[in-house]
Amino acid sequence: MKDLEYIEELKQLIEKEEIPAPAPIEQRWTASSRSSLSPASSPSEDDIFSWVGIIMYLPTMDARQRKDITEEFFHYRHLTQAKLWDCYSAYEHWAKIEVPKDKKELAALQERLRKRFPVDAYNKARKELDPNRILSNNMLEKLFPQSDTI
């Protein structure tokens, strides 16, 4: 019942912090994956994973309003990360990761990813199968920096 506990804590956080979060809160479920880089990876086929949408809509074309909404979104996201993610072993979907510009935040994200995913094995495969980094991009280089010792 951790999925419902998470939503209850999220709802309490939204109310306490007076976050203008849209309703309803989007929540989905999926089966586990055998892919070691999947956020739903698990050796158990019986595990179920829950996905929760941390979203805010941008219903205006006014640049100032869009900036304010974007800032409020990141405040919302950072609060959920600080208060909930580690308690529930929550990880962002790869398509939703925002690469931090701050070096300390980037280092913390890299460390967090390293705890959950086989980063060294992934980088070893990248080095062997794509030595010229043809299939790489800026996000991969930031999240999974390669050292010459791999």
Side-chain angles (χ1 to χ4, degrees):
M1 299 305 286
K2 292 285 188 185
D3 54 345
L4 299 180
E5 288 175 24
Y6 182 94
I7 292 297
E8 188 58 41
E9 283 195 52
L10 177 60
K11 185 176 172 246
Q12 291 170 9
L13 182 68
I14 289 168
E15 290 170 355
K16 178 183 174 202
E17 299 291 333
E18 298 182 350
I19 298 169
I25 295 171
E26 177 188 9
Q27 184 174 26
R28 299 177 186 185
W29 291 265
T30 185
S32 64
S33 170
R34 289 183 293 169
S35 173
S36 58
L37 286 175
S38 169
S41 67
S42 174
S44 174
E45 291 181 7
D46 295 332
D47 283 347
I48 297 173
F49 289 79
S50 174
W51 305 91
V52 177
I54 303 297
I55 62 170
M56 285 198 179
Y57 297 105
L58 295 169
T60 177
M61 293 307 294
D62 179 272
R64 184 168 174 249
Q65 285 181 327
R66 290 177 71 88
K67 180 180 180 288
D68 290 345
I69 294 168
T70 299
E71 286 174 5
E72 192 63 36
F73 164 77
F74 279 105
H75 173 68
Y76 179 22
R77 183 200 165 281
H78 287 297
L79 278 173
T80 61
Q81 181 179 358
K83 305 280 185 183
L84 300 174
W85 289 9
D86 287 342
C87 298
Y88 291 92
S89 301
Y91 284 83
E92 292 170 294
H93 186 281
W94 292 112
K96 304 294 183 182
I97 290 180
E98 298 280 344
V99 178
K101 292 180 175 121
D102 180 84
K103 287 184 181 185
K104 285 183 182 179
E105 287 180 25
L106 177 58
L109 176 57
Q110 290 167 340
E111 181 181 336
R112 190 165 194 280
L113 292 173
R114 187 171 284 283
K115 286 179 185 176
R116 175 68 173 89
F117 301 105
V119 172
D120 290 338
Y122 176 65
N123 277 340
K124 182 179 180 191
R126 286 175 64 203
K127 190 170 186 175
E128 290 173 10
L129 301 171
D130 186 22
N132 297 319
R133 298 180 179 172
I134 301 297
L135 301 174
S136 191
N137 60 39
N138 189 50
M139 182 177 172
L140 289 176
E141 296 299 326
K142 294 276 188 186
L143 296 179
F144 305 110
Q146 293 187 24
S147 69
D148 293 330
T149 60
I150 294 176

